[in-house]
Amino acid sequence: MRSSIPLLSLAATCAQAGVVSVGFSRQTVDHSSAITKRDTLDLTAVNNITGGGYYAEFDIGTPGQKLSFLLDTGSSDTWVNSVDTDLCNSDELQAENGFCQETFKPSDSSTFEVVAKGGFDITYLDGRHIKGDYFNDTVTIDGKAIKNQKLGLATKSVRPTGIMGLGFDTNVAAPRKYPTILDNMVSQGFIDTAAFSLYLNDLNADSGTILFGGIDTKKFVGNLSTLPLVADFQSTSDNVTSFTVKMQGLTVNTKKGSDDVKLQNINANAILDSGSTICLLPDSQVQDIYQAFDIRTVSGVNVPFVDCAYAKSKGDGISFDFAFKDKTIQVAMDQMVVNSFASVQDQIMNDPQLSQVFDGWEGACMFGIGSASDYGVDDDSFALLGDTFLRSAYVVYDLANQQIGIAQSNIDTSDSNIVSLKASDTALPSVTGVSSSETNDNDNAGERLHAGPALMVSAMVAVGVALFMM
């Protein structure tokens, strides 16, 4: 089986006034799994084919080497796979972890400088461990060079591409914090303040938009609600180190209304994490949801499975309502059903072992909510909201003021109206999105504002499907 993940180039300009014009290109990357080397499908292969995510491309070094990066709000380091990475020089390791895309060759960059030999060492929530060096080099985004940017150079890796960490500098893996790419965008004059907005679009779209330094009022419905960031579950103080907000509840609505799923109360600190494909919730709520929709699991595979029919008429009228202060984000059932296994459905349904697990189903799809306890987190105050939530939300990440803005996403729109964010503002602009979308009408919209002079960087990103907890 060959699985192709489309990538769109990260494009940016430094505008002196007005709205930045963004160009993008689309590439197809061979991300085949070990299934191509097997006569039958086994559980290891099922794990392998869940690779993917939201990716952007930009240049590293002088002259620039174009590389692909997973965009991750759940981490802060940006790193690349070295040409000498163990993964990218081993067919066996790539068969287990996915086939490498472009790698970085330090000797080809005249501005490359190692600053911490062996100092890069990071472990993600899903247990993936990356090791190597820290180096300084130039990051070029559409001809605009961010100089002396500290990056990780992976020499031991389990990921086919690098990651662009979009989090706070206090959360980097280094012993001492250093300026992230976002920080240096501000200090080197590309944007006015450390903030960006993220529009992933819906599950069937192949692209979304990230705006550094701006908000697009055409990409959300109604008003933006501002939520203060809070310390996450790992913190031993009140210091903010991640995009964590108070989640006040979750309601599951069904077709008839009277059959709504009864969940235990949830009052959690939820991390907004674009590097994670699914959401993680406390186990007690998850088990209630699994029972209601016959979600099944397979021993040895951290993937919750759902009947693919729920993405069609079987899921009509079912939604998951995530409640925050002054805002509820509604996620339709079809956005929770991820067909990660489309190319191997026949193998799954005909496999002697797996066919018994999924007997009576139209097909085996990945469900968009998992149990935090499967990842070693048994704290009922913990939640992680990944792409299956974020596709339905428009989120503004304001690092400078330690807050986020959130609204219902206006999916499937190519319209754009950009408002710049200013360093002098401690509150998000009082802007209003569209009055309604085809699928949501949760807020009343007022007069729309037009973009003023802006100094921002924008990027177009593309979607794959993944089970990465970054």
Side-chain angles (χ1 to χ4, degrees), residues 8-60:
L8 294 175
S9 294
L10 180 68
T13 64
C14 181
Q16 295 191 357
V19 178
V20 176
S21 176
V22 179
F24 63 88
S25 62
R26 182 175 180 176
Q27 301 179 14
T28 300
V29 178
D30 184 1
H31 200 73
S32 303
S33 77
I35 292 176
T36 57
K37 303 179 183 299
R38 302 174 189 269
D39 295 326
T40 60
L41 183 71
D42 66 12
L43 301 186
T44 300
V46 170
N47 275 332
N48 285 342
I49 64 174
T50 55
Y54 287 84
Y55 291 78
E57 289 186 342
F58 48 92
D59 292 346
I60 305 295

Side-chain angles (χ1 to χ4, degrees), residues 7 25 27 31 48 66 77 88 91 103 111 118 154 164 168 190 253 277 288 300 330 335 337 407 413 452 467:
L7 303 182
S25 62
Q27 301 179 14
H31 200 73
N48 285 342
K66 189 175 294 295
D77 291 274
C88 301
D91 291 340
T103 57
T111 48
M164 182 183 190
F168 288 91
F190 293 103
N253 302 308
T277 306
D288 290 338
Q330 186 176 87
Q335 297 296 304
V337 182
T413 182
L467 185 64

Side-chain angles (χ1 to χ4, degrees), residues 119-140:
F120 178 58
D121 190 337
I122 188 169
T123 301
Y124 297 97
L125 183 60
D126 65 354
R128 293 170 185 257
H129 190 199
I130 316 293
K131 297 180 67 175
D133 309 323
Y134 274 114
F135 71 101
N136 285 348
D137 213 330
T138 300
V139 176
T140 303

